[in-house]
Amino acid sequence: QAVGLQGAGLEFAAQVFRQDTKVVLAALGHDSTALKFALGAAAVELWADKDLVLAAVKQEGDALWYAAGSLQSDRDIVLAAVTQQGSALRHAAEELKADHKIVLAAVTQDSDALVEAAIECRADKDVVMAAVKQDGDALQYAAEELTHDPEVILAAFTQDATSLRFAADELMSDRAFVLNLIKCDGDAMQFASNKLLADRLFVLEAISENSAALRHAPHDWLSDKEIILAAVKQHGRALQLAASCCQEDRDVVIAAVCQDGVALAHASKSLRADKEVALYAVAEDVEALQHVAPELLSDYDIMLAAVKQDGDALAYAAESLRGNREVVLAAVSAD
């Protein structure tokens, strides 16, 4: 009765009961930890008892480790174990590590179980797809030929973009394939082949698809006006990644602040003091006032544009404009 209430109570039972299949099964029905207490005193034949081991692995797959060798080769036992805990595959007989159904169940429960699978299963597309859909990094355990498979790579990438580090170099040199990845996630750019990253037209197309790819563009391209323009037109604050020559370029900065006024923070000092640039920035986002040159805070046109958007912008105005009737009236009339 005691082991029926608390399986761990088996630890204190007489040896004769720890060798009793019925008692151990009752214990396992309540507490999988009873298994370790049964193990120390159990006769070999107890751990060859299929009903007992099956009950154990259904609670804790790694209990397969305790099973007799004959049961580690038993398909029903092993399937039950890996279904409960994929990592239990490491305790299975070698021939079952090549069993498609068992390995598929294991990686579905725990993608890392793929590392324990036989090579033929690591080359099985269905098995590998099941693993990488759970964890893209499981791609590292796939057979080499599957690292060349676009469908497998895309599935892994969708789950974890950094899994591309395990993709075949040949695939990461495929212009169309890599551009498609970058379109989904700009971080894919960091895994493009050196050949592609040295190709200006590729980089321009990649940035045009996704400005986030600029974070991983080779340094030489950060001074390329056309490439930077392509980035800031999508995301103005990409200006912060540009080389100083582009942060000093009026066309580039205007494009950036028209997309995001706060991008003015990354413009050169001279352009933050440029009235036209500042007007573009403030018109897009009044918060850009925080980044205009101090002398422009006394400019009537800039402050009028600002307070028309947000009356609180009057706080940034020079003292002379806080006493200007039109500016104050615009501020108090703002929505």
Side-chain angles (χ1 to χ4, degrees), residues 207-208 210-212 214 225-242 246-247 249-260 263 266:
I207 302 300
S208 298
N210 190 335
S211 64
L214 187 65
K225 180 174 178 176
E226 189 177 4
I227 287 173
I228 300 301
L229 271 172
V232 300
K233 285 179 179 178
Q234 294 176 62
H235 184 60
R237 297 189 205 189
L239 183 62
Q240 66 184 303
L241 300 172
C246 288
Q247 293 175 340
D249 188 290
R250 203 162 185 276
D251 295 334
V252 170
V253 172
I254 287 176
V257 300
C258 283
Q259 199 285 322
D260 182 343
H266 308 298

Coordinates of all heavy atoms in Angstrom, one line a residue, residues 207-208 210-212 214 225-242 246-247 249-260 263 266:
I207 N 19.8 44.8 -50.3 CA 19.4 46.0 -49.5 C 18.1 46.5 -50.0 O 17.3 46.9 -49.1 CB 20.5 47.1 -49.5 CG1 21.9 46.5 -49.1 CG2 20.1 48.3 -48.7 CD1 21.9 46.0 -47.7
S208 N 17.9 46.5 -51.3 CA 16.6 47.0 -51.8 C 15.4 46.1 -51.4 O 14.3 46.5 -51.2 CB 16.6 47.0 -53.3 OG 17.7 48.0 -53.8
N210 N 15.5 44.3 -48.5 CA 15.4 44.3 -47.0 C 16.5 45.2 -46.4 O 17.7 44.7 -46.4 CB 15.4 42.9 -46.4 CG 15.1 42.9 -44.9 OD1 15.2 43.9 -44.2 ND2 14.6 41.8 -44.5
S211 N 16.2 46.4 -46.0 CA 17.3 47.3 -45.5 C 18.0 46.7 -44.3 O 19.2 47.1 -44.1 CB 16.7 48.6 -45.1 OG 15.8 48.5 -44.1
A212 N 17.4 45.8 -43.6 CA 18.1 45.2 -42.4 C 19.4 44.4 -42.8 O 20.3 44.2 -42.0 CB 17.2 44.2 -41.7
L214 N 21.7 45.5 -44.4 CA 22.8 46.5 -44.4 C 23.7 46.2 -43.2 O 24.9 46.4 -43.3 CB 22.3 47.9 -44.4 CG 23.4 49.0 -44.5 CD1 24.0 48.9 -45.9 CD2 22.8 50.4 -44.3
K225 N 26.8 55.3 -52.2 CA 25.6 56.2 -52.1 C 24.3 55.5 -52.5 O 23.3 55.6 -51.8 CB 25.8 57.5 -52.9 CG 24.6 58.4 -52.8 CD 24.9 59.8 -53.5 CE 23.7 60.7 -53.5 NZ 24.0 62.0 -54.1
E226 N 24.4 54.8 -53.6 CA 23.2 54.1 -54.1 C 22.7 53.0 -53.2 O 21.5 52.9 -52.9 CB 23.4 53.5 -55.5 CG 22.2 53.0 -56.2 CD 22.4 52.5 -57.6 OE1 23.6 52.5 -58.0 OE2 21.4 52.1 -58.3
I227 N 23.6 52.3 -52.6 CA 23.3 51.2 -51.6 C 22.7 51.8 -50.4 O 21.6 51.4 -49.9 CB 24.5 50.4 -51.3 CG1 24.8 49.5 -52.5 CG2 24.2 49.5 -50.1 CD1 26.1 48.7 -52.4
I228 N 23.3 52.9 -49.9 CA 22.8 53.5 -48.6 C 21.4 54.2 -48.9 O 20.5 54.1 -48.1 CB 23.8 54.6 -48.1 CG1 25.1 53.9 -47.8 CG2 23.2 55.3 -46.9 CD1 25.0 52.8 -46.7
L229 N 21.3 54.8 -50.1 CA 19.9 55.4 -50.4 C 18.9 54.3 -50.4 O 17.7 54.5 -49.9 CB 20.0 56.0 -51.8 CG 20.4 57.5 -51.8 CD1 20.6 58.0 -53.2 CD2 19.4 58.4 -51.1
A230 N 19.2 53.1 -51.0 CA 18.2 52.0 -51.0 C 17.8 51.6 -49.6 O 16.6 51.3 -49.3 CB 18.8 50.8 -51.7
A231 N 18.8 51.7 -48.7 CA 18.5 51.3 -47.3 C 17.7 52.4 -46.6 O 16.6 52.1 -45.9 CB 19.8 51.1 -46.5
V232 N 18.1 53.6 -46.6 CA 17.4 54.7 -45.8 C 16.0 55.0 -46.4 O 15.2 55.5 -45.6 CB 18.3 55.9 -45.7 CG1 19.6 55.6 -45.1 CG2 18.5 56.6 -47.1
K233 N 15.8 54.7 -47.6 CA 14.4 54.9 -48.1 C 13.4 53.9 -47.5 O 12.2 54.2 -47.5 CB 14.4 54.8 -49.7 CG 15.0 56.0 -50.4 CD 15.0 55.9 -51.9 CE 15.6 57.1 -52.6 NZ 15.6 57.0 -54.0
Q234 N 13.9 52.8 -47.0 CA 13.1 51.9 -46.4 C 13.0 52.1 -44.9 O 12.0 52.0 -44.2 CB 13.6 50.4 -46.6 CG 13.5 49.9 -48.0 CD 14.1 48.5 -48.0 OE1 13.7 47.6 -47.4 NE2 15.2 48.4 -48.8
H235 N 14.2 52.4 -44.3 CA 14.4 52.6 -42.9 C 15.4 53.7 -42.6 O 16.6 53.5 -42.7 CB 14.9 51.2 -42.3 CG 15.0 51.2 -40.8 ND1 13.9 51.5 -40.0 CD2 16.1 51.1 -40.0 CE1 14.3 51.4 -38.7 NE2 15.6 51.2 -38.7
G236 N 14.8 54.8 -42.3 CA 15.7 56.0 -42.2 C 16.9 55.9 -41.3 O 18.0 56.4 -41.6
R237 N 16.6 55.2 -40.2 CA 17.7 55.1 -39.2 C 18.9 54.2 -39.6 O 19.9 54.0 -38.9 CB 17.1 54.6 -37.8 CG 16.2 55.7 -37.3 CD 15.7 55.4 -35.9 NE 14.4 56.0 -35.6 CZ 13.9 56.1 -34.4 NH1 14.5 55.6 -33.4 NH2 12.7 56.7 -34.3
A238 N 18.7 53.5 -40.8 CA 19.8 52.8 -41.3 C 21.0 53.7 -41.6 O 22.1 53.3 -41.8 CB 19.4 52.0 -42.6
L239 N 20.7 55.0 -41.6 CA 21.8 56.0 -41.8 C 22.9 55.8 -40.8 O 24.1 56.2 -41.1 CB 21.2 57.4 -41.7 CG 22.1 58.6 -42.0 CD1 22.6 58.5 -43.4 CD2 21.4 59.9 -41.7
Q240 N 22.6 55.3 -39.6 CA 23.6 55.2 -38.6 C 24.7 54.2 -39.0 O 25.8 54.2 -38.5 CB 23.0 54.8 -37.3 CG 22.4 53.4 -37.3 CD 21.7 53.1 -35.9 OE1 22.4 53.1 -34.9 NE2 20.4 52.8 -36.0
L241 N 24.4 53.3 -39.9 CA 25.3 52.3 -40.4 C 26.2 52.8 -41.5 O 27.2 52.2 -41.8 CB 24.6 51.0 -40.8 CG 23.7 50.3 -39.8 CD1 22.9 49.2 -40.4 CD2 24.6 49.7 -38.7
A242 N 25.8 53.9 -42.1 CA 26.5 54.4 -43.3 C 27.9 55.0 -42.9 O 28.1 55.4 -41.8 CB 25.6 55.4 -44.0
C246 N 28.5 59.3 -46.5 CA 27.0 59.3 -46.8 C 26.2 60.0 -45.7 O 25.2 60.6 -46.0 CB 26.6 57.8 -46.9 SG 27.2 57.0 -48.3
Q247 N 26.7 60.0 -44.5 CA 26.1 60.8 -43.5 C 26.2 62.3 -43.7 O 25.5 63.1 -43.1 CB 26.6 60.5 -42.1 CG 26.3 59.0 -41.7 CD 26.9 58.6 -40.4 OE1 27.9 59.2 -39.9 NE2 26.4 57.6 -39.8
D249 N 26.2 63.4 -46.9 CA 25.6 63.6 -48.3 C 24.1 64.1 -48.1 O 23.3 63.4 -47.5 CB 25.6 62.3 -49.0 CG 25.1 62.4 -50.5 OD1 23.9 62.7 -50.7 OD2 26.0 62.3 -51.4
R250 N 23.8 65.2 -48.7 CA 22.5 65.9 -48.5 C 21.4 65.0 -49.0 O 20.3 64.9 -48.4 CB 22.6 67.3 -49.2 CG 21.5 68.2 -48.6 CD 21.9 69.7 -49.1 NE 21.0 70.6 -48.4 CZ 19.9 70.9 -48.9 NH1 19.4 70.4 -50.1 NH2 19.1 71.8 -48.3
D251 N 21.6 64.4 -50.2 CA 20.5 63.6 -50.8 C 20.2 62.4 -49.9 O 19.0 62.1 -49.7 CB 21.0 63.1 -52.2 CG 21.2 64.2 -53.2 OD1 20.5 65.3 -53.0 OD2 21.9 64.0 -54.1
V252 N 21.2 61.8 -49.4 CA 21.1 60.6 -48.5 C 20.3 61.0 -47.3 O 19.4 60.3 -46.8 CB 22.4 60.0 -48.2 CG1 22.2 58.9 -47.2 CG2 23.0 59.4 -49.5
V253 N 20.8 62.1 -46.6 CA 20.2 62.5 -45.4 C 18.7 62.9 -45.5 O 17.9 62.6 -44.7 CB 21.0 63.6 -44.7 CG1 20.3 64.1 -43.5 CG2 22.4 63.0 -44.3
I254 N 18.4 63.6 -46.6 CA 17.0 64.0 -46.8 C 16.2 62.8 -47.0 O 15.1 62.7 -46.5 CB 16.9 65.0 -48.0 CG1 17.5 66.4 -47.6 CG2 15.5 65.2 -48.5 CD1 17.6 67.4 -48.7
A255 N 16.6 61.8 -47.8 CA 15.9 60.6 -48.0 C 15.6 59.9 -46.7 O 14.5 59.4 -46.4 CB 16.6 59.7 -49.0
A256 N 16.7 59.9 -45.8 CA 16.5 59.2 -44.5 C 15.5 59.9 -43.6 O 14.7 59.3 -43.0 CB 17.9 59.2 -43.8
V257 N 15.6 61.2 -43.5 CA 14.7 62.0 -42.6 C 13.3 62.1 -43.1 O 12.4 62.2 -42.3 CB 15.3 63.4 -42.2 CG1 16.6 63.2 -41.5 CG2 15.3 64.3 -43.4
C258 N 13.1 61.9 -44.4 CA 11.8 61.9 -44.9 C 11.1 60.6 -44.6 O 9.9 60.5 -44.5 CB 11.8 62.1 -46.5 SG 12.1 63.9 -46.9
Q259 N 11.9 59.5 -44.4 CA 11.3 58.2 -44.0 C 11.2 58.2 -42.5 O 10.2 57.6 -42.0 CB 12.3 57.1 -44.5 CG 11.6 55.7 -44.6 CD 11.4 55.1 -43.2 OE1 12.3 55.2 -42.3 NE2 10.3 54.4 -43.0
D260 N 12.1 58.7 -41.8 CA 12.1 58.7 -40.3 C 12.8 60.0 -39.8 O 14.0 60.1 -39.9 CB 12.8 57.5 -39.8 CG 12.7 57.4 -38.3 OD1 12.4 58.4 -37.6 OD2 12.9 56.3 -37.7
A263 N 16.0 60.0 -37.8 CA 17.3 59.6 -38.5 C 18.2 60.8 -38.5 O 19.5 60.7 -38.7 CB 17.0 59.1 -39.9
H266 N 21.7 60.8 -36.9 CA 22.9 60.2 -37.5 C 23.5 61.0 -38.7 O 24.4 60.5 -39.3 CB 22.5 58.8 -38.0 CG 21.8 58.0 -36.9 ND1 22.4 57.7 -35.7 CD2 20.5 57.5 -36.8 CE1 21.6 57.0 -35.0 NE2 20.4 56.9 -35.6

